[in-house]
Amino acid sequence: MRPTQPPELAVTGLSDNHQGGVSGVVKRAIVIGNGCAGAENQCIGLVRSLGLFDRHLYYSVARPSGGIYRWLLWLPISLYKKLDQFISCICAGFSIKASESSGRRSGIRDVFEVADAKKIAAMARRTFDKSGPLLVVASGRDTVSVASSIRRLAMEYVFVVQVQHPRSRLERFDLVITPRHDYFSLTPQGKRQIHFFLRPWVTPRKPPGRNVLLTTGALHNVDSSTLRNAALEWKDEFASLSKPLVVVNIGGPTRNCLYGVDLAKELCGMLHSILWSCGSLRISFSRRTPKKVKEIITRELRSNVNVYIWDGKEPNPHLGHLALADAFIITADSISMLSEACTTGKPVYVVGAERCTWKFSDFQKTLRERGAVRPLTGKEDMVKKWSYTPLNENAEAAKRVIQDLAVRGWKIEA
C-alpha cells in the first residue's frame, strides 16, 4: 500500500478540534483501493457523500504485473508477499536483483514496503483521543484482507466499509455495500444456471445479513456537485453543439457479456438510423474497447460532421458528457457507466443487453423494470424524452453508514 502523503501528518492534522475522540466524531477517512479506477471511484464516491472527501488519505494495494505474475492473478494478494520473498531468496543466491527485470521494476516492493494493516491499525489506536474514530472504505478483492485485518486489530477505533462483495466471512466488516445482483446465485433463476455439483463453490452461499446494504447499481464518483462543476467547465466547448446532444459510451466484452465486431457493426447501423434526430453525437471508448471495435465505429461514423469521436487524450470529457448530454447510449457490459448515467434522470439506451448472462442479465433486468433504461433499436426519435426516478446509490449508502455509526454512538463531523 502506498500513502499519498506522510500518514501521521495527513491523519492527525485534519482538524483543530481535538475533542473528536471523546465525542465519537468521525473527522477522517482512509480509502484502500486496488489500482482499478472503477473500484476506487466507488470508495471516493462514498467518502464524498459523507463530506469527508477533503479529509481522506489514499492507500493502494496493487498486484505486480509482468513476468511470472501475469499467470498468478488467481492467488490471494496475501500470498504475493511470501512469493516475492521466496523469489528474492533464490535470486540472492545467484546474485540477481529480484526487484529488477530487464531494467524495469517488478513493482512488488512498491506494494508492500510502505505501509500495512498493522501500521494503519496502530495509527487509529494512537490518534483516537486526538482525532476521533477512523473510517476505512475499501473496494476490490485484493483489499479484503487488509481492510478486515485493520478492523480485527483496531475494532474499537475504526469503522470498516467494504464496497463490493468480499465473497466470504462478511462478519469481518462493519458494513458491506454491494449490488443486489451479486446475490443472483441464490435466486431461483440463478440456481437453475448452476450445476448441482458446483453450487457449494459458488459465492455468496448465504442471504445478506444485517451488515449488508444492497444497491441497484454500483457506487461511483459522481454527484450533483460534480456535475455542476463539470457543466461549468465544459459549457463553452459544448455551447456550439446542436441539440439534442447524444453521448455514446462503449466499453468492452467481459466474461458475462461477450461481443465483438458483430455488435460494433450492429451499433453502427442503429446509430446511422437515428442520426437524423440527433443534433450532435459524441462517442467515447473505454480502455477495454477492442481495437477492431474502435476501428469499425470510427471508420463508419467519422465522416459525419455531427459526430465527434474522442481520441482518448486528456482532458477526458466524461464528466462533461454526464452533465450536459440530453441522452445516453451505453454498451451493456459496463455496470459503472450505466450506474453513473442512471443517476442523471436522462434517457439511457442500452446496446447488447441480450448478450449478457448470469448476474449481468439480472442487473439489466432490474434497470428495465425501474424504467431507467431501454434497449436501443435504431427506430428512436432522440428528440423525444422520457423520465424515471434516478438511481441514488451514493446517498443511500452514506445514509446507511451514518445510521450504523450512530448505533456505536459516533457521527460524521458536520
Side-chain angles (χ1 to χ4, degrees), residues 235-282:
K235 67 176 183 178
D236 291 338
E237 181 167 338
F238 288 7
S240 61
L241 299 179
S242 301
K243 294 287 189 175
L245 170 58
V246 179
V247 167
V248 182
N249 288 332
I250 301 170
T254 66
R255 181 178 59 182
N256 293 308
C257 193
L258 296 173
Y259 64 84
V261 296
D262 53 341
L263 184 65
K265 293 177 180 178
E266 181 182 344
L267 174 59
C268 287
M270 290 189 289
L271 292 179
H272 278 300
S273 297
I274 65 170
L275 270 174
W276 66 272
S277 64
C278 300
S280 304
L281 192 73
R282 292 177 66 94

Side-chain angles (χ1 to χ4, degrees), residues 333-366:
D333 59 274
S334 180
I335 292 176
S336 294
M337 288 194 297
L338 285 168
S339 298
E340 289 175 348
C342 288
T343 64
T344 66
K346 301 172 183 177
V348 179
Y349 296 92
V350 179
V351 180
E354 70 283 355
R355 299 166 185 255
C356 292
T357 60
W358 194 234
K359 64 180 183 179
F360 274 61
S361 64
D362 190 55
F363 172 64
Q364 298 294 337
K365 179 174 178 285
T366 300

Side-chain angles (χ1 to χ4, degrees), residues 314-327:
E314 294 294 337
N316 188 332
H318 180 62
L319 290 177
H321 287 168
L322 286 173
L324 299 171
D326 297 299

Side-chain angles (χ1 to χ4, degrees), residues 276-290:
W276 66 272
S277 64
C278 300
S280 304
L281 192 73
R282 292 177 66 94
I283 301 174
S284 292
F285 302 108
S286 78
R287 286 171 291 185
R288 295 187 296 106
T289 308

